[in-house]
Amino acid sequence: MQPPWLLARPRPLPASDGVPQYGGELRLEQPPQRIEGGWWDGFDITRDYYVAHSPVGERLWVFRDRRGGGWYLHGLFV
């Protein structure tokens, strides 16, 4: 499920003990949605997307880059 509002570019998120942070520790809904593509044109991506909940109740769309391992904010549910 994609949110109605996407960022123009995904925003890197810090992580603590492997858990993404956005105003505190995010709570991730399970299971993730895996998106893979671009292998045919050289812009290969492999991401696990989650609906996440921030400590203040925001619903966010975040992903973990399966190749680089970083966490990113990609959208907001409004």
Side-chain angles (χ1 to χ4, degrees):
M1 171 168 57
Q2 293 182 355
W5 194 76
L6 295 176
L7 301 176
R9 290 187 167 206
R11 175 181 163 188
L13 294 173
S16 177
D17 293 324
V19 178
Q21 308 287 309
Y22 185 80
E25 187 172 298
L26 295 179
R27 183 175 52 84
L28 305 175
E29 291 184 8
Q30 298 289 338
Q33 175 187 10
R34 181 157 294 164
I35 296 179
E36 297 178 336
W39 52 267
W40 58 88
D41 61 8
F43 295 103
D44 190 18
I45 63 164
T46 302
R47 299 173 176 171
D48 284 341
Y49 277 88
Y50 297 84
V51 174
H53 300 270
S54 76
V56 296
E58 300 163 301
R59 286 184 68 219
L60 310 169
W61 202 44
V62 301
F63 70 86
R64 183 179 166 277
D65 182 332
R66 290 176 39 89
R67 297 203 192 286
W71 285 95
Y72 296 84
L73 172 64
H74 200 166
L76 302 166
F77 294 91
V78 289

